Amino acid sequence: MKKINVNYFQKKKEDGEKIVALTAYDFVIAQFAENAGVELILVGDSLGMSVLGYETTVMVTLDEMLHHCKAVVRGTKNSFVVGDMPFMTYQISDEEAMKNATRFLQEGGVDAIKLEGGKEKAKLISRLTSAGVPVMGHIGLLPQKVMTAGGYKIAGKTEETALSLIQDAVALEQAGVFAIVLEGIPSKVSKKITETVSIPTIGIGAGEACDGQIQVVNDVLGLTTGYLPKHSKQYANLNDTIKNAFENYKNEVKSSDFPTNKESF
Ligand code: KIV
């Protein structure tokens, strides 16, 4: 398989082939994802909750993101890696956003950046894409706005908010994004957005009509300890596997059943 670039995703949409995307935060999981054929790996700021033990994504810093982007990039050859711009790295000024996006490409080594927001972010995204930065949009439920929204709320439930989301998607397409994440949006509205724009939509909690799907890797692996979102599906139960392994290890050390001659020199 050849290294994937932005054109690959456009072709998938045109050919009606679904795009497979997944988050990853480290070298090992990135290798597994690539070997399984995951086409787009997002180093999401969900890093904060999945790996760093934060309550929300708001506490994640740019340096933390870059550290994990480098690890994921080292674990991939062909998958397309996207770095998620964390809270307040692109809201203060467009100049700062341009500099921070550059750090993702130059230091993090990723293939593209993602940022949250709709039409209000179109001007910034135009500047980034004109300068040669591949950008993935993200509309609908926006985790970085959880504090002002008062929680994680499904977006586009009324006719007015649904229309506003469609306008957001069109504005992002015009600004040059290569794909848009649709998060927490009713299936009917995602379908309409997917039919309206010519770039691919990647859904999470946005129904089956999207051109692709993305999930948080901890949810897929059954490694999530707290709340499991309705949109997620567990394809493994690593919580139980790890718990059993650690308990067995502890018991064998306590009982002197480990190490044996086999593990000794
Ligand atoms: O941070 C993240 O993992 C994301 C996905 C939910 C799309 O933004």
Side-chain angles (χ1 to χ4, degrees), residues 88-100:
M88 280 303 159
T89 60
Y90 56 97
Q91 290 91 339
I92 293 167
S93 71
D94 285 4
E95 272 59 39
E96 216 170 297
M98 300 283 287
K99 282 190 194 141
N100 290 334

Side-chain angles (χ1 to χ4, degrees), residues 23 42 44-46 84 114 138 181 183 204 214 216:
T23 70
L42 171 69
D45 63 355
S46 50
D84 206 2
K114 173 171 89 58
H138 182 159
V181 169
E183 178 166 1
I204 174 161
I214 184 159
V216 169

Side-chain angles (χ1 to χ4, degrees), residues 15-139:
D15 293 348
E17 273 179 51
K18 295 282 185 184
I19 297 163
V20 184
L22 188 65
T23 70
Y25 316 103
D26 64 43
F27 174 79
V28 174
I29 295 291
Q31 280 185 319
F32 275 118
E34 164 147 315
N35 291 340
V38 172
E39 295 153 308
L40 185 151
I41 298 180
L42 171 69
V43 188
D45 63 355
S46 50
L47 166 78
M49 291 136 100
S50 298
V51 174
L52 302 179
Y54 297 152
E55 281 278 313
T56 69
T57 60
V58 167
M59 290 172 76
V60 179
T61 67
L62 178 57
D63 286 339
E64 287 167 340
M65 286 302 302
L66 293 177
H67 180 76
H68 288 267
C69 283
K70 288 180 198 174
V72 167
V73 168
R74 285 193 289 267
T76 54
K77 277 203 207 69
N78 303 319
S79 300
F80 189 85
V81 181
V82 180
D84 206 2
M85 293 192 73
F87 184 63
M88 280 303 159
T89 60
Y90 56 97
Q91 290 91 339
I92 293 167
S93 71
D94 285 4
E95 272 59 39
E96 216 170 297
M98 300 283 287
K99 282 190 194 141
N100 290 334
T102 307
R103 289 191 67 191
F104 268 93
L105 300 194
Q106 293 185 334
E107 294 174 43
V110 297
D111 302 306
I113 56 109
K114 173 171 89 58
L115 55 86
E116 295 182 8
K119 32 186 119 44
E120 76 288 356
K121 287 281 167 281
K123 190 171 137 274
L124 166 64
I125 292 172
S126 281
R127 276 190 75 178
L128 287 164
T129 56
S130 311
V133 179
V135 179
M136 180 153 88
H138 182 159
I139 61 173

Side-chain angles (χ1 to χ4, degrees), residues 3 140-141 190 200 245 248:
K3 172 74 188 171
L141 188 163
S190 310
N248 289 340

